[in-house]
Structure formats: structure tokens, C-alpha cells
Amino acid sequence: MDSKAETAVAPTRATAVAAYLNTLHTQLVGLPLEKQQEVREEVLQHIEALEEADILLGGTPEEAIAAALRQFGDPRKIGRQIAREWQLREWRRGGIILLKAFVAPVSYVGIAALWTTVMAVTSLMADGTTEDYALWLQRTYWLIGLEACIKMMQAAFTITGGAAPTLASPGYSPAHRPIAPPNPERRCLRLNLASLRPTLKTLLRPMNWLSLAAFSTIILAISSSVLGWPDEDYAFWLYRTGWFIGLDAFIKWMQEGTEPFIAKRKAKLKIFVERIQPSASIISRALGVTTKSASGPLDETMADHRSLPLNLACFVFPPLGLLSWLVLDGRSPGKARSAGRSAVRGTIVAIIACMFLSAWFLVNNAIFAIGKARLQPINPHLPMHSLRHHRKTTKFISLALPQPR
Amino acid sequence: MERELLKGNTPTMILAVLCQGPLHGYAIAREIERRSDNQLKFKEGTLYPALHALEYDGWIKGQWETTSQGRKRKVYTITQAGHAELKRRHHAWTEFANVMAQVIGGEPHGQQG
């Protein structure tokens, strides 16, 4: 009778260990599931090793397991310490990520401010008036500041939701799902910043933003030309659009991480390529690119050489390089690589050309402004602003001036 | 031995022990005991918060291995950064111990005279 009662009351080895591990496990709040399992497994191995050592020294199995658990320590305290160490580091990491998220938009504001100042100064040199540009400058800074604030908030929420889980509830996402809370009675208020993630932003894909921005820019550019709006407003709008696109892409990149983002885009492009495969084959044949035929494998000796027409086309129109790479990779790797390299070179040349043109434009404006400052109007009563803006007009006036004797 | 003193220096001891070669948690505990001539007595579970913190910081690297008995064990190895950190901690500890020895004197108070 007594022995029966003892068997019923005394926990078996397995239940004792399981109870110990469960107690420890419940404290591991905030750790990823895999990490929790890893800690559990590691502790189990350690306890088993302690148990074996005790048995080797002559202890009974019951005594050995009790001694091992005692030797290992209080499971609550150990679990809590592991979780605390982990969360401390996650906080630190989250803080660094958040700092980066705030620094990046601030740097954008810095670049924007610099660029605005350059534009304002050059405009001032060209026009000689200050009121309009002071207003314009103020408006620009205000808009940029407002946008930067919005973007910063979005970035902060996004990053908090995606990369720094401990800043929000410890375990809102599937990867950080909590186990049973240690004490359900002691629930504290936890901020779930993940719920504040911008849903509209998630719905509107960056490519849609890009298309919308490009479309609006074109419409505005055309309407500006037709209506004769001042050039600087159009340039300002273009510049702001570019800034928007850059920030959106940056946030999207942070939301998804670079690799999944690229993989997703590549997969989408592959689907697109598969759809246009017949056309691509025709184009490939026209460009002198041999693809693998259905009848047999590719004869590499004759096929995998770079194609000059294709490379030239990729150099002039770099997106074609990406398309060629997707179509040809795996069939003619040499051709694909060569086309890709040409596209990269084309892109670099285009960027350098754009930079050179921008610099030329700025220098030209400055020279023009300095030259104009020396001119005198034919009619002293004629206001100065009637002479500005147009180089031809200025030249004409310059020629019309009385020559010195 | 003072508990708080021991707790604060557990990561340094782990790094020092792992300097000799890769070890799992149980072996680390035994090695610390052996090196201290069984003077350092601590609950072995307290090693794990320190181990995981060191792993998170990149000073040690854990890898699961299967023993000849078919048992899985997580073996820790010190990294290059860990070696540098151990050097720094060693230097700091030596400096601190020297200063403490200067302040409190070389011998216990009761044995003087």
C-alpha cells in the first residue's frame, strides 16, 4: 500500500525533468522559437550528463536526477537570465537599427537642403531678386521637413515591426510567438507597434509608386511646357519626385530586406520572360543569339560566344541587358554575362553623362548670370526682369549696345 | 567565494576555458572546477545565460555535434573577436586586481603582526 502511494506521489525521472524544462521554458519569453528549443535541448543534455556522472559515483537514479537538477540551479532564475540577456541585446540591436532609420531620412534632408540652397543661389545669381526665392526656399524646406517626418515615422514603425521585435510586444510575430506567459495574472501593458504598420503602404507596392510618380512627372512636364510655367517649378517638382521615390525604395528595402526583394523581383521578371518567350526567341535569333533548341542540347562550341549587336543594344538600352541575362542565363552563360556587363557599362556611362550635364548646366547658369550682370539695359527705364531668362535676347541686347570709341 | 564577483566574471572564465579548445556546456563547468581546484562552486545553469550572451555578441560560436554514442551536444568555440575580448578582459582584470591589492594590502588584516 505504502509503496503504491509512493509511486503515485513521487514523480518519475521523465516527469521531473520535463517539469524542470517546462518551468525554464516558460521564462524564455522573447526568444525565437528555434532558440527556445535549442536552449531546452542543451539544458537537457547537460542535466543528463550530470545525472550520468552521479550514477557513476554510486548514486541511485532517483538521487542522481534530484542532484543533477539541484546542481543545475533554479530553472526560473536561469530562464529569466537567458531571456534578459537576449532581450538586452535585441534592444541594443533594435536601437541601432532605429538610429539608422532616423539618420537616413535626416541625411536625405541634408542632401535636399544642400541641393535647394545650390538651386536658390544659382537662381538668385540669374535673376537678382530675392523675395521669390526666399519664399520658394522656405516652402521647399517646409515640405521636405514634413515629408521627412512622415517618412521617419513610417520607417520607425516598419522597422520596429519587422526587425526589432523586442521593442514591440515580446512575440507578436509568428517567429517570436510567446509560450504561455509566466504568470497570466501579471499582465502588463505592452505596446504592439506592429499593429501600427502602415497598411496602405503595404498595399501600394513601390513599383506602383514609381509608375505613378513617373506618370505624374511626365504629365506635369508636358503641361508645364504647354502652359509656359517657369522652369524652376518643374525642376523642383522633378527633384521632389525623385526624392520621394528614393525614400520609398529605401523603406521598402528595409521592410523586406534586400535578398527577398531581389529574389521576388527576379521571380516576377522570370514569369514575365516566360510569357514573352516566343517573342524573346525571335528577338534572340534576330540578334544572332543561339538558344537551346528543343531537339537537342546546346552545342557550346558554336553558341556561347558574345554577341556584338546584343552587347551594343544592351549598352544603349541597359534594361535589355537584364532581360537578356534572364533569358540567356543557363543557355548561353557567356552571352548572358557579356550582355550584363555591357548593360552595367551603359548604366555607368549614362550616370556619368547625367552628372556631367548637371554640372554643365550649373556652371553655364553661373557664367550666364555673371555675364548678364555686366550688361546695361538699352532703355534705362526698362525693368531688368524683361531682359532675363533668354540667352538669345541677352546676346541681341549685347550686340545692340553702342560700341566704345 | 563572493557570488556577485563570480557572476560578473563568468563570461571571462568561459572565454579563458574555451581558449584551450572547443567544449560543450558540461565540459566548461568541469574545466572551471578543475582549474579552480573545486573552489568555485556555482549552479551550472548560470553558465548558459553567459554562454548565450557571448554567442550573441559573436565572441564564441556554438555548433551542434553528435557524439559517438549518438548524443547531440552543442560545442562552443572561441572566435577571433573572442580572443581579442579575452585579451582586453584579462588586461582589465589584472589592472583591477593590482589596484585592489595596493588598496587593501597584501595580506589579510588578522594575520598581521
Side-chain angles (χ1 to χ4, degrees):
Chain A
M1 186 72 185
D2 281 342
S3 68
K4 264 189 181 178
E6 267 176 27
T7 319
V9 172
T12 59
R13 180 207 169 272
T15 50
V17 173
Y20 185 92
L21 290 175
N22 286 343
T23 312
L24 189 136
H25 204 151
T26 51
Q27 304 298 320
L28 302 176
V29 180
L31 265 75
L33 274 181
E34 315 85 65
K35 193 77 191 165
Q36 289 173 15
Q37 289 300 334
E38 199 181 301
V39 170
R40 195 184 167 102
E41 180 71 22
E42 204 178 1
V43 170
L44 176 66
Q45 295 300 330
H46 194 122
I47 289 167
E48 281 178 357
L50 280 170
E51 189 188 357
E52 277 172 21
D54 206 75
I55 290 170
L56 280 175
L57 289 170
T60 61
E62 290 78 23
E63 285 169 357
I65 192 65
L69 296 181
R70 209 169 36 247
Q71 171 74 357
F72 202 82
D74 182 2
R76 278 189 192 81
K77 206 183 277 179
I78 293 161
R80 221 176 292 146
Q81 271 181 350
I82 292 174
R84 198 185 301 137
E85 292 285 349
W86 180 271
Q87 283 179 353
L88 186 77
R89 278 155 181 81
E90 283 283 290
W91 267 92
R92 211 179 292 158
R93 194 170 69 108
I96 292 165
I97 294 170
L98 268 183
L99 188 72
K100 281 181 185 170
F102 277 85
V103 166
V106 167
S107 66
Y108 269 102
V109 176
I111 295 165
L114 185 73
W115 183 235
T116 310
T117 311
V118 167
M119 281 182 78
V121 169
T122 48
S123 305
L124 195 65
M125 284 167 76
D127 284 320
T129 54
T130 51
E131 291 87 7
D132 284 357
Y133 289 98
L135 187 69
W136 184 75
L137 201 70
Q138 188 192 0
R139 193 183 57 175
T140 309
Y141 276 131
W142 188 79
L143 279 173
I144 288 168
L146 188 72
E147 283 162 13
C149 281
I150 293 166
K151 295 289 166 189
M152 272 196 284
M153 283 192 289
Q154 282 179 347
F157 285 142
T158 307
I159 284 177
T160 314
T166 46
L167 289 178
S169 163
Y172 61 82
S173 73
H176 296 82
R177 198 182 301 127
I179 338 157
N183 184 358
E185 301 299 317
R186 281 178 54 208
R187 279 171 188 263
C188 56
L189 181 68
R190 285 168 178 163
L191 271 178
N192 191 351
L193 295 179
S195 63
L196 297 173
R197 286 173 80 177
T199 47
L200 188 68
K201 193 80 188 165
T202 322
L203 289 172
L204 290 172
R205 311 302 297 170
M207 290 309 284
N208 298 349
W209 279 94
L210 191 73
S211 314
L212 187 70
F215 180 71
S216 315
T217 308
I218 291 163
I219 294 293
L220 258 175
I222 292 167
S223 53
S224 296
S225 306
V226 170
L227 295 170
W229 287 352
D231 287 346
E232 56 265 28
D233 275 2
Y234 162 58
F236 168 64
W237 205 90
L238 250 181
Y239 159 72
R240 272 191 60 220
T241 309
W243 189 71
F244 253 132
I245 292 166
L247 261 186
D248 284 331
F250 176 71
I251 288 164
K252 204 66 214 166
W253 175 73
M254 286 192 297
Q255 279 177 342
E256 299 194 26
T258 41
E259 282 181 22
F261 185 77
I262 292 167
K264 207 186 283 178
R265 291 284 168 269
K266 205 172 165 183
K268 276 191 177 178
L269 265 171
K270 270 194 176 164
I271 292 166
F272 173 71
V273 166
E274 275 167 16
R275 280 183 191 161
I276 59 157
Q277 193 67 46
S279 317
S281 303
I282 292 163
I283 295 164
S284 300
R285 273 200 298 277
L287 291 169
V289 180
T290 313
T291 54
K292 188 162 64 175
S293 64
S295 56
L298 175 73
D299 184 358
E300 291 187 2
T301 52
M302 59 165 280
D304 200 13
H305 294 298
R306 68 178 181 173
S307 161
L308 189 64
L310 178 67
N311 286 359
L312 270 173
C314 294
F315 183 82
V316 175
F317 188 62
L320 187 65
L322 181 66
L323 193 67
S324 308
W325 177 66
L326 284 169
V327 173
L328 299 174
D329 196 27
R331 295 172 186 177
S332 312
K335 268 193 187 70
R337 273 198 298 275
S338 179
R341 275 198 294 269
S342 298
V344 170
R345 281 181 203 129
T347 311
I348 292 167
V349 167
I351 290 167
I352 291 169
C354 283
M355 284 167 72
F356 177 77
L357 280 173
S358 305
W360 178 81
F361 176 74
L362 281 174
V363 170
N364 201 33
N365 254 8
I367 291 168
F368 171 60
I370 292 161
K372 190 170 68 64
R374 292 186 189 145
L375 294 176
Q376 293 296 320
I378 306 160
N379 182 352
H381 301 293
L382 195 67
M384 191 66 188
H385 64 77
S386 67
L387 304 177
R388 69 188 174 201
H389 288 313
H390 216 277
R391 181 180 285 277
K392 279 182 184 172
T393 318
T394 315
K395 274 183 181 166
F396 174 74
I397 294 162
S398 180
L399 287 170
L401 284 170
Q403 297 297 315
R405 288 180 186 176
Chain B
M1 196 66 70
E2 285 287 337
R3 209 172 132 200
E4 283 305 312
L5 202 61
L6 186 65
K7 194 179 160 189
N9 290 295
T10 309
T12 313
M13 288 194 292
I14 292 172
L15 286 175
V17 165
L18 288 177
C19 235
Q20 304 297 317
L23 291 172
H24 50 85
Y26 178 78
I28 292 169
R30 296 289 76 76
E31 182 62 15
I32 291 172
E33 262 183 22
R34 191 189 65 76
R35 287 192 188 192
S36 68
D37 285 335
N38 285 328
Q39 287 191 60
L40 289 179
K41 291 282 180 194
F42 54 91
K43 298 289 181 193
E44 295 184 13
T46 55
L47 277 181
Y48 286 91
L51 274 171
H52 287 280
L54 288 172
E55 193 184 11
Y56 193 109
D57 291 336
W59 293 332
I60 60 171
K61 197 179 148 195
Q63 212 167 5
W64 285 95
E65 284 179 7
T66 312
T67 60
S68 51
Q69 290 93 33
R71 181 175 281 177
K72 276 176 77 184
R73 270 177 178 169
K74 195 178 180 186
V75 176
Y76 293 95
T77 317
I78 190 164
T79 61
Q80 283 294 319
H83 278 290
E85 178 63 16
L86 178 63
K87 203 174 167 184
R88 190 191 67 77
R89 281 174 185 240
H90 189 272
H91 179 74
W93 174 256
T94 315
E95 215 168 84
F96 178 71
N98 287 340
V99 171
M100 283 298 283
Q102 279 174 16
V103 172
I104 64 175
E107 288 178 14
H109 187 68
Q111 291 176 11
Q112 280 180 350

